[in-house]
Amino acid sequence: MGTPRLRQQGIALFVVMVVLLLSMLLVLWSSRTALFNELLTGTDSDYQRALEAAQSMVRDAEFDIQGQKPDGSACSGSFCRSPVIDPSQGQAFYPESANDFQDLDAALVTKTPSCVAGICTATNVAAEFWTTATALNAMKASAATYGRYTGAQAGEVGNPLLRANAGAGAKAWYWVEVLPYDTASAVTAGPAQTFAPDSTRPNIYRITAVAQGLKPGTQAVVQSVFVWKKVSS
């Protein structure tokens, strides 16, 4: 009668060890799943932060093009653009006439990239430059940062990618390519005429904003086209 009892105890020990091993595997799996979910959540949050920063950069560029501060009033202050085109001093302004554009194009035609102070002509701007580290770094040297030409401020509780907006610490940039529009040859009816720029500002402005997140490898890009609304006669 004693032998069966010893066998039963051995089987019980084996079962306990199997259950303990399965429990340990379950705990390990749960921990790894929680860690993986946390990594996914953190990566998604970082991208959303970068995307919001890039969208804010586009809006800041629109104010810059219009010569306005964030409240919609005319730009006033040392941060506002002067009517000077001097790449050596990092100065440029948005052309208001065909002659202005020719001056800008002549000043930038030999530069690669053809940008200064965030204003570009399409001559030497690489397509999808944000996909190549070398091209992006070259563009950063001639970019505009948040509030640089509008006086906008992110504030202490704002997006941290916008607060770090100077020098090597910058995390977000924008560039505006000035594309001349031939109003004289434009069609006189239809959508092309409806969305044509005002004759006093005969340009199309292609805005590219890039924001890099707090984590390595996180990057958001937003492109937008801005035109001065055609004034009805």
Side-chain angles (χ1 to χ4, degrees), residues 114-170:
S114 51
C115 302
V116 60
I119 299 178
C120 308
T121 59
T123 308
N124 294 317
V125 175
E128 298 185 355
F129 59 84
W130 56 87
T131 62
T132 306
T134 302
L136 179 57
N137 288 334
M139 290 291 288
K140 287 179 183 179
S142 57
T145 53
Y146 187 71
R148 173 64 182 83
Y149 299 105
T150 64
Q153 297 181 355
E156 291 301 321
V157 296
N159 193 314
L161 303 182
L162 299 180
R163 292 202 301 270
N165 63 355

Side-chain angles (χ1 to χ4, degrees), residues 108 125 167 206:
L108 300 180
V125 175
R206 182 166 59 197

Side-chain angles (χ1 to χ4, degrees), residues 48-125:
Q48 290 299 323
R49 186 185 300 112
L51 180 61
E52 291 172 2
Q55 292 171 335
S56 296
M57 295 298 289
V58 169
R59 185 57 177 150
D60 193 52
E62 292 175 350
F63 283 124
D64 182 18
I65 294 169
Q66 298 175 89
Q68 295 179 347
K69 294 189 291 186
D71 61 2
S73 62
C75 191
S76 60
S78 59
F79 50 81
C80 300
R81 293 186 184 271
S82 302
V84 176
I85 301 175
D86 186 354
S88 65
Q89 299 296 319
Q91 292 181 299
F93 70 100
Y94 295 100
E96 298 184 6
S97 66
N99 289 337
D100 284 347
F101 178 81
Q102 291 174 3
D103 291 342
L104 178 66
D105 189 42
L108 300 180
V109 69
T110 59
K111 289 178 61 64
T112 303
S114 51
C115 302
V116 60
I119 299 178
C120 308
T121 59
T123 308
N124 294 317
V125 175

